[in-house]
Amino acid sequence: MLPSSRKGAAVQKKLAFSEITATADIQVRRHGARAKCLQRLVRLDMPVPRSVALPFEAVRDIAAGHDIDTAEILRSFGEFPLVSVRPSAETADWGGPGTLLNIGMNAQMCDHLATVVGQEAANQLYLRFVQSFSVEVARLDEEEFADDQTLKDALHTYELEMEEPFPESASEQLTAVLRSMARAWEGTTARLLRQAKGAPPEAALGLVVQRMALGLGTGECGSGVVQFIDPVTGLPQITGRYKNQAQGRGGLLTDRDALYLTRDPRGPSLEERCPAAFAELIAHGARARSALREEMQIEFTVEDGDLRILDAVRVPRSSRAAVRVAVSLARDGVIPREEALMRVEPQALAELLHPQVDRSGATDVFARGIAASPGAATGRIVFNAGAAQAAAAKGEACILVRHETSPEDIRGMHAAKAVLTERGGVTSHAAVIARGLGVPCVVGASSLQIDSRNRTLATSDGRSFREGDTITINGSSGEALAGEVVMLPPALDEVFQTFMEWAEDAGDIGIRTNSDTPADAETASRFGAQGIGLCRTEHMFFDADRLTVMREMIFADTSADRQAALERLMPMQRGDFRQLFEIMQGKPVCIRLFDPPLNEFLPKTRDGVRQLAEAMDLPVSRITRRVEALSEFNPMLGMRGVRLGITVPEIYDMQARAIFEAAADVALEGHPVEPEIMIPLVSARREVELVKSRIDATASAVRTHRGVDFRYQLGVMVETPRAALRAGEIADHVSFLSFGTNDLTQMTYGLSRDDAGRFMGTYVQQGVYPEDPFHTLDIDGVGELLLIAAERARAVRKDLTLSVCGEHGGNAESIAFCRSAGFDYVSCSAYRVPVARLAAAQLAISEMAPKGRATISQWITKHLRIGGPADFD
Ligand code: PEP
Ligand code: MG
C-alpha cells in the first residue's frame, strides 16, 4: 500500500499553501530557503515556472497523517498538470528528500507528449516517472526497476508488487509524493544527518510544487545546470552541462553525453546552439550573484529556444574557492568585508596553506589515524631519522614512519615530507613538532604494525610495505594512502593575503606563534603573527654539533666542567635568539627556559650507547650508568622544567645570558627588541623567586658589561594545577602568565598526552568526553582552572598579561573561551596562525550582532549596509 493516512488519525484539514509570487508572504522561517530563493528569482524577473510553497506546518500535518486536498493545489496548474516537488528546509545545507519530477504523468499525458516529442521519448519520460515513484515513494526494491526495462514491464512490476494498478490520477500521485517526502524528513537517519550539519532537533521541512518545464519540444530543447566559477579554485569560469533533447532521434541523452555550455570539442555547445537563451542565462547568473549575494548554481531548461529557470542553489566549493568567492564578492561591493570573513570556516584555511589531496582523483587508503598536522605529501617510506636525512641529502622525498617520535627524531622530521606514527594523540611529540614545521602528519594509526628493524609496515588488511615504497600522507584527513595521488597546490596568493588583512583589522585578541626556529618565525611572520608566544628552546640543542656539547654537559662531573660545556653552547644560543629578535622586528619574543628531562638527550638503544661511548671516549659502562641514573619512572612528572632550573642552575644562567646579550646586541644596533622569559612547569611561588633573582642578576650584569639598557619581562608558564590555584602569589613576581594547556590538560585529567590516542576515539564515541581535550580546551575542568588562576592573579596585578600557549591556542572554540575570559593573546604553531586570526575576527564580528550565527549575515548586511537588496524577510 502507498503511504496513506493512519486509520483513525485522519483529520480533514485545509492545506495551507502560497503561490510563489513577487509579493507573496514567503518566509525562510516558514517556507524554507528554497521557496524564498525562488521568490527572489521571481522578483528578479527570471522566467521561473509557476511554483507553490507548502509551509512547515502543512508538511508536519501531512507527515502526521492528516488528509490533504492536493486537487486544490493542482487546480492552479491547469487541466493537465505536470509538476515536480522539491524540498525546502530552512537552511539549504540541511538537505532533505530528493526532488521528484513529472508528477501527473499518466497514459493520457504520455499520448499528448508523444505528439510533441515522439512516442519513444514520451515513453521514456513516463518510464522514468514510474520507476522513481515506485522506488522513492512506494519504496519498492530498486533492483526490480532496472534501466533496460520497458514502460509496460515497469507498470506491470508495480502492479504485481503493490497489488493495485499504478496511480493514474495526478492528485493521487501528488498526495503520495508529499506524504512520502514529509515522512522521510521525520526519519531517524535524515534527522541525524541534518543534525550533524547543525540543524536543531525541531528543524522543519517546507515543500515546493513547481510546474515541470520539461525541455521538450520541436525546436532547441534540453535541460542543464550552470555556475560561474570553478568550484575548486573559485576563479570565474562558466561550467556546467546541458542535456539536449536530441531531436530527430527521439532519445534522451545520458549524463555522460551531456553537452558543454561553451566550447564543446565534440560539437556545437549550448552557446552556439542557442545564443539568445545562453546570453539570457549569463545575464540571469550575474543578477543572481549580486542580488542573492552569492555564487549560485542555476538549474534551467530550454523549451523551443525559451529559457526557464527552475532553481538556484549555492555553488558547492572547496575551501580555496570559498576564500576567493568571499573576497571577490566583497571587492565588488556585493557584501561587506565582515560578511566575507564570516563566510569561511576558520579551519578551512588550513587547507590553503599546504598541498592537498585532490578528492576528485582515486585514492587507496591503507590506514587511518588522527589528522595531526594538515596538508599532504608523497614520498618513499623511511623508518628512522637518519634514513630521512640521507634521503633528503639526495633530494628524495621521504615519509618518516615511526612507532612514535622523540626529540632525537627532530632532524629526521625536518628532512621528511610527512610523518606517520602508530601511537600518539594531537599533542604528542610528533603532532606538535609536525604542526610547528608545517609537515603533514598522521598520528595514532594504531592498526599498523611497524617493524623498524626489518623496515616493513603491515596493515590490518594484510598488505605490507617496505622501506622505499611510495606512500602519501593526508594530514588533513588522517589517512595514509598507497602510492602517489593527484595534489592541489597551496593557495597563498594575493587573495589569501587580502582576506587575512581584513581578519587582522576585525580581530581583537592577540595572535602570536609558537616558533622555535628562524624558519618557523619567518613563516609565522608571513602569516601575520603578532609576536612569538612560545619558543621551546630545547629544540635548539638537537643539531649534531650541539647535541655533542649538550651531552658533555650532562656527563660533566663537576660544576666547573658543566660550566665549560655550557660556555660553548652559549654563543650558539645567543645567535639563535638574535635571529628571532631580528625576524620579529620589535614584536615580543617569549622564550621558554629549558623544559625537558635531560635523559631525552641520551641514547635509548644499545647501539646509540655504544656510539656515544665512542664519541665521548668513555667506557660503555659509564654511559649506561649515567643513562640509568637519569632515568625516571615518569619523566614527564620528574626532573624537568623549573625543577631542573633549580637543581642545575647553570643551564638557566646560560640561557638568560644568551637572551640578554642577544637583546643588548640588537638594541645597540638601534633596533627594537622585546624579550620575554618564561619559566616552565612551575608549581610553587618559591621556584619563581629563586629563578627570578638569578635572572635579574644576569640582566644587570649584561647591562653593565654591554653598557646598554634593555627591557625584558619575566613570566610563568602555568602548566600544573597547583600553579593555577596559587596564581595569586605567583603573579606578584611576574608580569605575565601563559597557560601551557597541553601539560595542564594532561595533569588535570591525569591523562598522558602521548598515549591518550589509544582510547580517545572510544571515549569520544561513547560520550565520556565530548571531544579530545588535548584538541579542544575542556572548558568545564581545565577552563575552570584558567578562570580561577586569571581571577586570583589579576586581583594581585591588574595589568598582568594572560595568554594560552598550549596547542589549544589554535582552536576556534578555545580562542572564544580565552577571549571571553579577557586573555590578551593566544599562541599557536605558525601554520595555525591564519586559522586563529580568522577565528578571532569572527568572534569580534559575531559580538556586534545581537543573536546567533544564523542572523549574523543578515545583521551585517542591514547594519553595515552595502550591496544588493537585503531580502531577508
Ligand atoms: C604546554 O604544556 O602546553 C606547552 C605549551 O608546553 P609543551 O607542549 O612544550 O610541553
Ligand atoms: Mg608543557
Side-chain angles (χ1 to χ4, degrees), residues 592 595 640 717 719 743 753:
R592 176 178 77 183
D595 183 51
R640 54 171 283 221
M717 205 165 166
E719 303 181 274
D743 273 315
R753 59 196 265 194

Side-chain angles (χ1 to χ4, degrees), residues 203-531:
L205 179 73
L207 291 170
V208 171
V209 181
Q210 186 180 67
R211 182 199 302 284
M212 284 295 300
L214 279 172
L216 296 174
T218 46
E220 175 62 37
C221 290
S223 57
V225 289
V226 63
Q227 58 200 17
F228 303 90
I229 55 160
D230 176 327
V232 174
T233 62
L235 286 164
Q237 187 184 342
I238 297 172
T239 56
R241 68 199 143 75
Y242 172 68
K243 281 200 275 179
N244 177 262
Q245 183 200 327
Q247 304 100 320
R249 288 193 284 120
L252 292 163
L253 296 182
T254 64
D255 260 358
R256 192 157 36 89
D257 300 323
L259 306 174
Y260 302 159
L261 302 180
T262 60
R263 292 190 301 276
D264 193 333
R266 301 161 303 175
S269 64
L270 173 66
E271 184 177 17
E272 287 146 339
R273 283 169 172 276
C274 204
F278 180 78
E280 207 187 322
L281 187 59
I282 301 301
H284 287 320
R287 283 162 67 207
R289 179 178 186 267
S290 59
L292 305 186
R293 310 158 64 256
E294 189 40 291
E295 284 293 349
M296 303 301 282
Q297 187 181 65
I298 296 177
E299 190 180 334
F300 65 94
T301 60
V302 177
E303 264 178 347
D304 288 333
D306 285 342
L307 184 70
R308 299 271 179 277
I309 303 290
L310 309 187
D311 194 19
V313 293
R314 184 178 172 275
V315 180
R317 62 199 69 169
S318 71
S319 302
R320 64 190 61 203
V323 172
R324 183 173 286 277
V325 167
V327 168
S328 116
L329 287 171
R331 277 182 170 160
D332 293 347
V334 177
I335 57 173
R337 285 179 182 184
E338 289 81 355
E339 187 169 356
L341 291 169
M342 295 305 291
R343 285 192 181 189
V344 179
E345 275 298 316
Q347 201 45 49
L349 286 187
E351 288 181 25
L352 274 68
L353 313 179
H354 307 274
Q356 293 294 316
V357 170
D358 184 346
R359 290 254 159 211
S360 58
T363 53
D364 173 10
V365 178
F366 69 82
R368 286 178 212 280
I370 295 170
S373 175
T378 299
R380 292 177 184 281
I381 297 176
V382 291
F383 287 97
N384 59 55
Q389 285 175 274
K394 285 189 272 173
E396 284 174 10
C398 68
I399 309 290
L400 180 62
V401 178
R402 305 280 289 152
H403 291 294
E404 63 194 333
T405 64
S406 66
E408 283 179 312
D409 293 312
I410 286 181
R411 297 290 134 202
M413 292 179 74
H414 262 286
K417 295 287 177 213
V419 177
L420 170 65
T421 71
E422 182 192 332
R423 302 189 198 129
V426 282
T427 58
S428 61
H429 180 267
V432 171
I433 299 299
R435 278 197 292 276
L437 297 174
V439 170
C441 176
V442 172
V443 298
S446 52
S447 67
L448 291 178
Q449 284 180 4
I450 298 170
D451 182 346
S452 310
R453 187 178 288 241
N454 293 310
R455 300 181 187 173
T456 59
L457 173 68
T459 68
S460 55
D461 63 2
R463 279 193 271 181
S464 167
F465 293 85
R466 318 194 130 271
E467 185 166 74
D469 287 350
T470 298
I471 60 170
T472 298
I473 297 302
N474 186 348
S476 305
S477 67
E479 291 165 330
L481 314 162
E484 218 169 313
V485 300
V486 183
M487 300 269 200
L488 298 168
L492 300 174
D493 51 13
E494 175 272 331
V495 169
F496 172 77
Q497 299 299 353
T498 302
F499 189 73
M500 291 320 305
E501 279 162 25
W502 294 352
E504 175 86 50
D505 292 345
D508 59 4
I509 179 169
I511 308 291
R512 292 201 200 174
T513 175
N514 295 353
S515 286
D516 311 333
T517 63
D520 290 348
E522 300 265 19
T523 309
S525 280
R526 238 186 16 251
F527 292 158
Q530 293 158 343

Side-chain angles (χ1 to χ4, degrees), residues 636-828:
M636 282 302 116
L637 299 179
M639 192 152 104
R640 54 171 283 221
V642 69
R643 298 163 195 169
L644 196 58
I646 285 171
T647 39
V648 191
E650 298 90 338
I651 301 177
Y652 280 11
D653 288 349
M654 178 280 282
Q655 289 196 301
R657 190 145 68 84
I659 293 166
F660 293 136
E661 288 191 6
D665 290 347
V666 173
L668 273 172
E669 285 161 19
H671 302 300
V673 54
E674 285 290 330
E676 296 177 354
I677 298 181
M678 179 153 74
I679 313 169
L681 214 77
V682 165
S683 58
R685 174 180 53 99
R686 185 72 187 134
E687 289 169 330
V688 184
E689 287 170 356
L690 288 172
V691 173
K692 180 175 162 49
S693 66
R694 290 184 81 111
I695 287 179
D696 287 344
T698 307
S700 304
V702 173
R703 279 191 187 114
T704 313
H705 187 244
R706 296 281 165 125
V708 61
D709 198 11
F710 50 81
R711 289 185 313 167
Y712 70 95
Q713 312 283 344
L714 184 74
V716 154
M717 205 165 166
V718 180
E719 303 181 274
T720 64
R722 193 176 193 284
L725 296 170
R726 306 306 296 164
E729 59 186 16
I730 289 172
D732 227 4
H733 299 284
V734 293
S735 54
F736 66 90
L737 294 182
S738 186
F739 293 88
T741 47
N742 302 334
D743 273 315
L744 192 57
T745 301
Q746 169 165 268
M747 296 200 200
T748 305
Y749 277 82
L751 177 66
S752 160
R753 59 196 265 194
D754 295 307
D755 299 316
R758 285 199 195 174
F759 59 89
M760 191 56 75
T762 315
Y763 254 51
V764 172
Q765 227 168 27
Q766 300 198 15
V768 183
Y769 302 154
E771 309 220 32
D772 180 346
F774 290 108
H775 186 249
T776 305
L777 188 72
D778 158 44
I779 307 273
D780 298 340
V782 181
E784 188 173 2
L785 276 176
L786 260 58
L787 294 179
I788 291 171
E791 193 190 324
R792 292 182 184 175
R794 282 208 165 139
V796 176
R797 279 195 68 162
K798 254 203 190 65
D799 60 341
L800 196 80
T801 300
L802 294 175
S803 61
V804 160
C805 64
E807 287 303 302
H808 303 94
N811 172 276
E813 286 105 318
S814 314
I815 296 171
F817 173 81
C818 294
R819 185 174 171 275
S820 64
F823 282 29
D824 298 276
Y825 70 87
V826 293
S827 189
C828 55

